[in-house]
Amino acid sequence: MRKPVISEVTQNDREVSFRSLRVFAEIMRTGSATAAGKQLSLSQPAVSKLVSQLEARVGFDLFYRDRGKLVPTADGTKLMQEVDLTLASLDRFNSLVRDIAGYSAGTIRVVAPPSFAEGVLPEIVSRFRDRFPGVEFSIDSRSVATARSMIAMRYVDCGFVKLPTDEKDLELSEVITSGTLCVMREDHPLANHETISPSDIGLHPLILLGAGGYWRTQVDAAFASFGLKPSVAIETHTHGSACALAGRGNGMAILNELLVRPYIQAPLVTRPFVPSITHTYAFAVSNVARPSRLTEEFKREALSFFLEQPQNNPHAKK
């Protein structure tokens, strides 16, 4: 359907007004319509026409003619102060538009669970800022439930959440599935096992993430399937602290394979935990409104990052 003619006229009027202001400012700066025309690559008739259009628009004379020269009127001189500010604002606006269009400016607000924000998110953000160094980030670390609510309520632009989730106000894109590892010192009695099950662990002291969460329920269920209860020596809330405690000989930690990777270094070693417990994460945005172009580009960066990871990625080719 053809757009209303009034829209086309209005757009044309805006273009003429902007060019008229440019011509007016250049004449005021150079003191000559001829010099202004050369500076703006306009002919003398074009300059005169734009000045006339601007005078007709504002309703008073901006110049008077004295022996072929354009001399500013008092009204024109007064108007020039505002024209300078207006053109400077338009220049800044156009510059910002170019920056946003080229992803060289803007802010992305991200939320993720604490261990994810500490162990995984820095790599994704760093990769993105290598490509777009002008983009700023605001990173919030919250519980899984709080992160979901912040995304749904649009307090942040996007985030990473663990599945499953019953949040109906989120648009979810699954990014990675990882397994579970036992983390211990290399001199731990079970370090020579290829895999470790609850029956292997028995009464060996454990370092586990805090009770009450879905992950802890899965660990307890795995032990229950062997008729056992985990022997918990220390409860903590982040993968980083669990690994640090294991590294000091406080016991074995059972942790998310994806999230422990940044913390595994001598004297720590890892072994797969069986039966397998998987952890699936999704990139989430609110489904109330369409995400910004910058957020969409960050999502593409995250998907690209996870495609390169060795974990069991649901998007990877087998």
Side-chain angles (χ1 to χ4, degrees):
M1 179 182 293
R2 179 179 172 83
K3 293 181 180 179
V5 174
I6 187 171
S7 297
E8 298 176 355
V9 171
T10 301
Q11 182 60 40
N12 185 57
D13 285 349
R14 288 176 183 150
E15 180 68 20
V16 169
S17 177
F18 178 75
R19 295 181 67 195
S20 297
L21 289 177
R22 285 287 189 199
V23 166
F24 170 67
E26 198 61 33
I27 293 173
M28 294 292 286
R29 188 180 70 82
T30 62
S32 166
T34 302
K38 289 181 179 179
Q39 188 66 28
L40 298 174
S41 301
L42 294 172
S43 66
Q44 178 68 36
V47 169
S48 297
K49 180 180 179 181
L50 288 168
V51 170
S52 297
Q53 288 175 338
L54 183 57
E55 288 179 326
R57 184 177 300 279
V58 299
F60 51 82
D61 290 338
L62 300 172
F63 301 96
Y64 63 88
R65 282 70 179 170
D66 182 13
R67 289 171 289 184
K69 294 183 179 181
L70 291 178
V71 180
T73 63
D75 291 333
T77 300
K78 185 176 182 179
L79 186 65
M80 182 59 193
Q81 298 173 6
E82 289 301 320
V83 170
D84 274 339
L85 292 174
T86 299
L87 291 176
S89 296
L90 284 170
D91 285 340
R92 286 193 298 272
F93 174 80
N94 289 331
S95 178
L96 180 59
V97 167
R98 288 191 297 269
D99 286 344
I100 293 174
Y103 304 111
S104 56
T107 301
I108 302 177
R109 299 165 299 168
V110 188
V111 66
S115 291
F116 193 102
E118 294 174 8
V120 180
L121 193 53
E123 294 187 54
I124 304 172
V125 170
S126 296
R127 283 170 48 131
F128 189 85
R129 293 197 73 252
D130 283 343
R131 295 171 56 209
F132 309 112
V135 174
E136 298 176 359
F137 276 84
S138 173
I139 299 174
D140 213 333
S141 174
R142 299 296 181 98
S143 69
V144 173
T146 302
R148 291 170 183 161
S149 296
M150 290 178 70
I151 300 165
M153 298 296 292
R154 300 177 67 196
Y155 293 133
V156 293
D157 299 305
C158 59
F160 295 89
V161 299
K162 193 173 183 181
L163 301 180
T165 176
D166 57 0
E167 184 62 66
K168 296 180 175 60
D169 294 329
L170 299 181
E171 180 181 312
L172 302 168
S173 300
E174 189 174 318
V175 291
I176 194 167
T177 296
S178 67
T180 297
L181 296 176
C182 295
V183 180
M184 70 210 90
R185 286 178 58 93
E186 57 192 2
D187 57 359
H188 190 280
L190 300 181
N192 61 345
H193 287 225
E194 290 188 6
T195 61
I196 297 176
S197 70
S199 62
D200 297 321
I201 295 171
L203 295 177
H204 284 289
L206 292 173
I207 302 164
L208 296 182
L209 301 189
Y214 179 64
W215 156 238
R216 179 62 177 274
T217 301
Q218 289 177 294
V219 173
D220 290 344
F223 275 81
S225 68
F226 285 80
L228 299 169
K229 289 185 177 181
S231 178
V232 183
I234 300 176
E235 286 187 345
T236 185
H237 294 281
T238 68
H239 286 64
S241 63
C243 289
L245 290 163
R248 286 167 175 76
N250 290 286
M252 171 191 295
I254 302 176
L255 299 169
N256 183 323
E257 179 184 3
L258 172 67
L259 302 184
V260 300
R261 186 184 59 195
Y263 309 109
I264 303 305
Q265 55 186 351
L268 289 177
V269 295
T270 65
R271 300 291 182 267
F273 178 78
V274 292
S276 177
I277 302 175
T278 58
H279 312 265
T280 301
Y281 289 89
F283 183 92
V285 295
S286 171
N287 64 10
V288 175
R290 183 177 178 179
S292 68
R293 295 172 62 251
L294 202 57
T295 301
E296 290 281 14
E297 187 63 29
F298 181 62
K299 174 184 174 180
R300 284 189 284 271
E301 184 68 59
L303 289 170
S304 175
F305 170 80
F306 285 117
L307 280 171
E308 300 171 8
Q309 304 311 302
Q311 281 82 14
N312 179 27
N313 190 315
H315 298 284
K317 294 180 180 180
K318 297 182 179 180

